[in-house]
Amino acid sequence: MNMQLARILPEVILTITGVIIMLAEPLLQKNSSRKPLGWFAVLGTLAALFASMWQLHLPDGTAYFGTVQTDAYSVFFHVLIAGIVLATLLVSLDSIDGSAESVGEFFALICFGAVGMMLMTSAVELLLVFIGLEISSISTYIMACFRRKSAKGPESAIKYFLLGSFATAFFLYGIALIFGATGTTAIAAIGRILTVGQTPLLAVVGLAMILIGIGFKVSAAPFQVWTPDVYEGAPSPVVGLMSTAPKAAAFAVLLRILYVAFPLLHYHWQPLVWWMAVLSMCVGNLGALRQQNVKRMLAYSSIANAGYLLAAFTALSQEGVAAASFYAVTYAAMNVGIFAVVSHAGGFGDRLTLVQDYRGLAYRSPLLGGAMAFFLISLIGIPFTGGFFGKFYVFAAALHSGMVWLTIIGLINSGIACYYYLRLLAAVYSKPVHTDLLDGIPRPTMPLLLALVLTVAATLILGIVPGQVLSLARAGANTLVPYVTTAMK
Amino acid sequence: MILGWLIVILIAGGLIAWPLARLHPLLSRLIALSAVTLDLALALVLATRDFGPGSTAGGGWREELDWSWIPQFGIHFHLGMDGLSFLLVLLTLFLGVVAVVVSWTEIATAVGFYHFNLLLILAGILGVLLSLDLFLFYFSWELMLVPMYFLISVWGRERRTHAAVKFFLFTQLSGLLMLIALLALYFAHHQATGIYTFEYQDLLGTPLDPHRAMWIMLGFLAAFAVKLPAFPFHTWLPDACAEASAASNLVLASLMAATAAYAMIRFLLPLFPEAVHTISPLMIVLAVIGILYSAILAFSQTNLMRLVAYASIGHLGFVLLGIFAGNSLALRGTVMTVIAHGVSIGALFLVAGAVEKRVQSREIDTMGGLWDTIPCLSGVGLFFALAALGLPGLGDFIGEFLILIGTYQAHIAAAAVAALGVLAATFYALRFVQYAFQGTNIHSWHLPDLAAHEGFVLGVLIAVLLWLGLYPQPVLQTLAQAASHAPALWR
């Protein structure tokens, strides 16, 4: 096979899948089910997943004039994104079909969004990163607006779109400034150029702009204000996707940029990231304490989790990169899982919104209640779940690099977080049962069960036998590590 | 390998008992009972091994199991048993059987889930008692948390959610402090030796500067003091006990306290001898305050479960005193007290639960004069109240006596004040008996007396307390074997 093409094989597969779905959609009967299209998207995602794994056997290297690079790091995030998309597709197969218009479009958009996110993680050229970011953002803007008829839907989508494009503008401006300072947009080349001589102020400003842009995308404080509103208004399966996959991709990009292009400037960005981490943890957890709306609460929880992940960034070590990658996986598993439960229990129109609406869910549907309890326990960070091991790894990495206060703040925060997760957990297992609301919950369908099995299994494996994923995360981190060790010591 | 089976049987039993309740709750109970009983039998098989003094073969562990678990971090699935852990494992499984039997009639809803949680807690406790890898220890320590939360919040009384959340927050926050300390120790060991390991025996020799050792020790101490619970971190226990069912209280007060005391003896004292020595005056003061304060509070409680909970805190004050007294006599007394407290306080919870089942209330003023209508239960109640106040001839007396002698050697004043605590215990224990059982039957209760299974369980508990009180040598001899790992402690 053409070596160049092999390096973007997963993206190609998903693009073709998306295009076929777009073309097939108008050919189907107007009122017929769009599920076959969804299953086709599932197949395409599976193929992309295997294609990404296959890429591990390729020798590391770049393609298309050094813009795309496949290595253990990019494959790690490719597989993660494909996994998230797979679970999201399974969740939305039944909840979207029959409830929204232009469902085929929805499945195609998920595929296109995945292409953008995957490109972000394998791009080693800032402009291509930007293009990937835009592809993924635009599809998530549209998906956020899929509940066109509810008032909250368009509101949330407009908010997301306006603030999102503002942030990408920052990102683009940052790239321009860095190009002005170094004369290149290739990430590795920037790193090489900046090792020589005085660091131009322009590059520092550019880096700050990029931090702002990415900070918005991962909803890190102080760029988090949009998150609760958007999560509240968007359809639940979409929230499950956009709180994990685009964030993972953005984190992957940020790691690559910080560790490969700007390792020498770490005394500039490390304190900034430190503060972003602390602020995100505190704002997220304290904000979540007061929320009555489950989706808003989970939105704040995702801000807090972005903080935990950023804590690993400050470690300035291979362990830090590996911990951040590992945490992205654990957070994705549990968060996609909990949104699968929320989207099935609440339905497309979000019938269950408040914490108290979930009263007695475990008695009405032991399966959904149990799954929700399990993911909440993982979010709290109890051993035997991935959530615990992820936090353990992140804070071990931070502590190892002497970030004692960050570790203490982080762990105290995760203690505070217990409170709001427990509130939901207590509601799920409390009596009396809220029958009028809970009676409307349909029986779990096969695709939903598949998605739940997938996420529960992933969370358990990450918590009990994390060795395999740990090795992969470390192998990924190793590809960034030459830069880390040479420049930062 | 037996150690692995001990844990696997419990988890598997729980996983099987859960869905079986859908067929018939009885199946679930039977599975849970047979799993715990089988475990107890397995543990008793281990009793045939030599736990005598001076047996140091096999690294001093009578039984060991070591598997690599997460090699990237040097984490092992490493279990080991010596005399100390053997005794507490036996206590855990014995009280575990009691808890399952007591739940037979007490728990009527979500029976499968109940037994799943109960067995998972027992598995977590065994994990704590057997871990020789500190990561595994932390893992098991936290594993007890969620099922206990469910036991309180699903099968508790009116204010159960509040109590469960309070319990969870206290233990989780303190557990996180321990996690930081654990990581700090792990990296300190790496700094000194270049090896990443969570192995207990490797970490024992970690050189630490006093300042850092103190902070790390405090992190561990926070978790243990909350779980014990020690004054002033005790407030979650009465709240939880007031809401949870009798069997949960048995696990909560008797067994969780045992794990905390065990963790202090096994980990805190040998890992940070100097730091412990520095802080021991403060801890002794806290222990003595705890003993007296809890006695006063116990005296003024109107809720039977709360009263017993404060009685428990008083005994655990003695445990804390014994641990920090700094000599082996007190330490032996501590283990004895942990075991006897587990049995006697556990039994008091069961008596309170049995009374509650009959009068449908935990408030002491709904009772009175019960001796006329339920003489057997009242007699049993009197027996355990006497045990709790430290009557010679019963287990608690031996333990507290040893602790007081040991403390006397180190701190005469502390021993003197703590001895007042024994006196104070008389007040609340007798109040318990007087107000609940004696007096006139003003509410004209006509109640059924002890059922066969209740009588059997309480009878066995009485026998154990008598045995511990009259012939404690087997316990003390088994304990001597633990000396091979931390000789300085037990000399």
Side-chain angles (χ1 to χ4, degrees):
Chain A
M1 188 193 279
N2 182 340
M3 197 60 162
Q4 304 250 2
L5 204 59
R7 297 212 183 273
I8 56 162
L9 189 59
E11 286 90 341
V12 171
I13 292 174
L14 277 173
T15 312
I16 295 175
T17 312
V19 169
I20 292 178
I21 293 173
M22 289 291 261
L23 292 177
E25 145 98 331
L27 300 179
L28 290 178
Q29 285 272 312
K30 199 157 180 8
N31 292 322
S32 72
S33 164
R34 258 47 177 173
K35 270 188 207 167
L37 295 179
W39 283 111
F40 184 69
V42 168
L43 283 182
T45 313
L46 268 178
L49 186 99
F50 288 120
S52 311
M53 288 186 191
W54 171 78
Q55 279 183 329
L56 265 187
H57 303 296
L58 295 180
D60 285 3
T62 56
Y64 296 105
F65 317 104
T67 53
V68 185
Q69 179 174 327
T70 51
D71 47 31
Y73 183 75
S74 76
V75 170
F76 184 86
F77 280 97
H78 269 62
V79 172
L80 170 62
I81 290 164
I84 297 171
V85 168
L86 189 67
T88 309
L89 280 170
L90 289 172
V91 174
S92 42
L93 261 175
D94 286 299
S95 76
I96 299 275
D97 189 54
S99 316
E101 297 158 33
S102 33
V103 180
E105 211 173 273
F106 181 85
F107 294 128
L109 280 170
I110 290 189
C111 293
F112 292 143
V115 171
M117 298 165 209
M118 286 178 171
L119 263 187
M120 281 165 78
T121 64
S122 55
V124 288
E125 145 72 45
L126 286 176
L127 275 177
L128 189 64
V129 170
F130 175 75
I131 291 171
L133 185 66
E134 277 300 68
I135 299 176
S136 92
S137 301
I138 289 172
S139 30
T140 32
Y141 298 148
I142 306 174
M143 283 191 287
C145 192
F146 246 74
R147 289 197 314 198
R148 261 159 249 173
K149 290 188 181 136
S150 88
K152 285 260 165 73
E155 180 206 332
S156 105
I158 294 265
K159 230 174 223 171
Y160 190 30
F161 172 66
L162 285 179
L163 288 170
S165 18
F166 200 51
T168 31
F170 266 97
F171 188 77
L172 190 59
Y173 198 45
I175 296 175
L177 291 183
I178 289 167
F179 180 75
T182 61
T184 175
T185 50
I187 293 177
I190 296 171
R192 271 198 305 278
I193 290 167
L194 287 179
T195 46
V196 196
Q198 192 104 34
T199 308
L201 181 64
L202 221 52
V204 179
V205 178
L207 175 61
M209 298 269 181
I210 284 184
L211 257 184
I212 293 173
I214 298 276
F216 175 89
K217 289 290 167 196
V218 300
S219 67
F223 314 108
Q224 87 294 356
V225 268
W226 57 278
T227 322
D229 293 343
V230 173
Y231 284 17
E232 190 188 355
S236 305
V238 176
V239 182
L241 176 76
M242 72 187 187
S243 62
T244 52
K247 279 194 188 182
F251 276 124
V253 163
L254 190 60
L255 275 176
R256 214 192 264 277
I257 293 179
L258 290 182
Y259 279 78
V260 180
F262 299 101
L264 271 184
L265 266 59
H266 68 87
Y267 52 89
H268 280 302
W269 59 256
Q270 194 194 21
L272 288 180
V273 174
W274 193 96
W275 276 108
M276 275 166 82
V278 168
L279 273 179
S280 307
M281 291 189 278
C282 294
V283 168
N285 284 320
L286 296 178
L289 285 180
R290 301 172 53 86
Q291 297 306 317
Q292 295 302 325
N293 183 307
V294 171
K295 277 164 87 178
R296 287 185 80 87
M297 191 185 92
L298 289 173
Y300 278 103
S301 130
S302 89
I303 296 169
N305 276 286
Y308 301 137
L309 215 150
L310 282 171
F313 276 57
T314 61
L316 300 185
S317 63
Q318 179 215 358
E319 282 307 307
V321 178
S325 316
F326 188 89
Y327 197 82
V329 182
T330 58
Y331 179 66
M334 55 200 183
N335 215 47
V336 171
I338 200 163
F339 272 106
V341 178
V342 168
S343 82
H344 186 77
F348 191 66
D350 275 355
R351 272 177 305 111
L352 309 183
T353 47
L354 304 181
V355 171
Q356 66 210 33
D357 294 346
Y358 284 80
R359 285 183 71 98
L361 178 65
Y363 298 101
R364 177 66 39 179
S365 165
L367 184 88
L368 286 179
M372 187 150 206
F374 176 75
F375 293 123
L376 284 170
I377 288 168
S378 181
L379 282 164
I380 291 174
I382 298 293
F384 83 83
T385 62
F388 163 71
F389 202 82
K391 279 203 189 81
F392 172 81
Y393 197 8
V394 162
F395 289 115
L399 195 63
H400 198 189
S401 302
M403 299 279 153
V404 180
W405 281 110
L406 185 63
T407 310
I408 292 176
I409 295 172
L411 286 178
I412 287 178
N413 257 291
S414 82
I416 296 172
C418 297
Y419 182 75
Y420 58 86
Y421 293 130
L422 280 181
R423 241 182 30 193
L424 185 53
L425 186 63
V428 168
Y429 276 91
S430 75
K431 286 177 171 174
V433 181
H434 230 298
T435 38
D436 45 333
L437 275 170
L438 295 183
D439 275 343
I441 299 177
R443 288 184 68 81
T445 55
M446 202 265 286
L448 179 84
L449 287 180
L450 267 178
L452 285 180
V453 167
L454 206 67
T455 44
V456 169
T459 310
L460 272 181
I461 288 172
L462 291 167
I464 298 174
V465 277
Q468 200 73 32
V469 183
L470 216 55
S471 303
L472 290 173
R474 284 195 171 176
N478 264 333
T479 62
L480 300 191
V481 104
Y483 309 96
V484 178
T485 40
T486 51
M488 290 182 183
K489 297 299 165 194
Chain B
M1 196 50 220
I2 291 187
L3 299 184
W5 282 114
L6 285 179
I7 294 178
V8 169
I9 289 173
L10 287 179
I11 295 180
L15 285 174
I16 299 171
W18 192 359
L20 276 184
R22 289 200 154 207
L23 294 177
H24 198 288
L26 189 64
L27 281 175
S28 174
R29 296 182 204 277
L30 281 175
I31 291 285
L33 183 63
S34 36
V36 187
T37 318
L38 182 63
D39 246 28
L40 185 60
L42 266 183
L44 283 172
V45 167
L46 289 172
T48 58
R49 311 287 169 92
D50 176 22
F51 282 104
S55 56
T56 51
W61 304 105
R62 289 292 83 210
E63 185 70 35
E64 210 177 345
L65 172 74
D66 192 357
W67 290 332
S68 183
W69 180 13
I70 307 174
Q72 288 93 336
F73 286 104
I75 295 171
H76 284 244
F77 189 87
H78 189 177
L79 301 176
M81 184 189 256
D82 65 352
L84 175 63
S85 35
F86 170 72
L87 286 174
L88 295 179
V89 165
L90 222 51
L91 174 76
T92 305
L93 293 171
F94 170 62
L95 291 182
V97 175
V98 170
V100 175
V101 173
V102 170
S103 314
W104 213 275
T105 47
E106 199 187 348
I107 300 299
T109 54
V111 177
F113 190 47
Y114 176 83
H115 286 103
F116 170 73
N117 282 314
L118 187 58
L119 265 59
L120 210 60
I121 297 178
L122 294 179
I125 294 174
L126 289 199
V128 167
L129 296 176
L130 297 174
S131 301
L132 290 183
D133 179 290
L134 266 79
F135 182 85
L136 180 62
F137 165 72
Y138 180 79
F139 196 92
S140 319
W141 183 265
E142 294 282 290
L143 198 62
M144 300 185 282
L145 193 54
V146 173
M148 194 68 234
Y149 167 84
F150 277 124
L151 281 197
I152 302 172
S153 77
V154 177
W155 293 273
R157 306 295 179 259
E158 298 80 39
R159 284 171 54 75
R160 55 181 181 267
T161 309
H162 169 81
V165 169
K166 189 169 179 183
F167 158 76
F168 195 101
L169 286 180
F170 265 73
T171 14
Q172 174 72 356
L173 266 172
S174 63
L176 288 170
L177 292 180
M178 171 161 78
L179 182 59
I180 301 179
L182 178 56
L183 283 171
L185 181 64
Y186 173 69
F187 290 125
H189 185 263
H190 171 248
Q191 217 169 30
T193 63
I195 300 167
Y196 286 114
T197 179
F198 281 103
E199 275 293 313
Y200 171 62
Q201 268 164 328
D202 295 340
L203 291 175
L204 271 185
T206 309
L208 290 168
D209 65 85
H211 184 67
R212 193 191 271 192
M214 178 54 91
W215 281 110
I216 296 179
M217 192 277 292
L218 285 176
F220 279 94
L221 183 60
F224 302 157
V226 167
K227 196 84 145 205
L228 190 61
F231 176 85
F233 308 107
H234 63 278
T235 56
W236 61 268
L237 184 71
D239 284 1
C241 287
E243 306 304 325
S245 67
S248 314
N249 285 347
L250 173 81
V251 176
L252 196 61
S254 301
L255 294 184
M256 298 243 166
T259 60
Y262 168 84
M264 288 195 198
I265 298 174
R266 169 76 76 216
F267 298 108
L268 201 70
L269 301 187
L271 280 171
F272 319 102
E274 286 86 15
V276 166
H277 186 73
T278 316
I279 203 173
S280 64
L282 174 68
M283 295 312 290
I284 286 175
V285 169
L286 286 182
V288 172
I289 294 178
I291 292 171
L292 294 177
Y293 180 68
S294 66
I296 296 169
L297 284 183
F299 185 72
S300 53
Q301 294 307 313
T302 57
N303 181 312
L304 218 49
M305 292 288 184
R306 276 186 111 82
L307 191 155
V308 181
Y310 278 110
S312 164
I313 295 169
H315 284 82
L316 295 170
F318 278 103
V319 168
L320 196 64
L321 187 63
I323 290 171
F324 284 92
N327 59 53
S328 78
L329 207 54
L331 216 51
R332 282 168 222 271
T334 301
V335 179
M336 194 69 203
T337 306
V338 166
I339 298 171
H341 156 271
V343 177
S344 64
I345 293 292
L348 276 179
F349 276 122
L350 300 187
V351 169
V355 172
E356 182 201 6
K357 200 167 74 185
R358 286 168 175 78
V359 306
Q360 296 297 323
S361 168
R362 292 180 165 188
E363 291 301 314
I364 213 162
D365 51 11
T366 59
M367 302 160 197
L370 294 183
W371 206 295
D372 300 339
T373 161
I374 42 171
C376 291
L377 180 56
S378 308
V380 172
L382 174 65
F383 177 86
F384 288 115
L386 291 178
L389 67 80
L391 192 74
L394 301 176
D396 289 271
F397 171 73
I398 306 285
E400 280 165 24
F401 186 65
L402 286 175
I403 292 174
L404 285 175
I405 299 179
T407 314
Y408 183 80
Q409 290 176 353
H411 309 271
I412 298 177
V417 182
L420 283 179
V422 182
L423 192 65
T426 318
F427 286 102
Y428 66 72
L430 290 183
R431 181 172 180 269
F432 172 77
V433 175
Q434 274 179 345
Y435 282 71
F437 302 125
Q438 294 178 331
T440 47
N441 191 348
I442 42 170
H443 298 283
S444 325
W445 288 112
H446 288 287
L447 302 165
D449 208 347
L450 280 181
H453 75 280
E454 289 173 324
F456 177 71
V457 167
L458 292 170
V460 173
L461 291 171
I462 290 176
V464 170
L465 268 188
L466 278 170
W467 173 57
L468 288 174
L470 297 175
Y471 185 59
Q473 278 83 350
V475 172
L476 297 175
Q477 272 165 12
T478 309
L479 207 49
Q481 196 263 331
S484 51
H485 303 294
L489 283 181
W490 300 90
R491 191 173 294 137

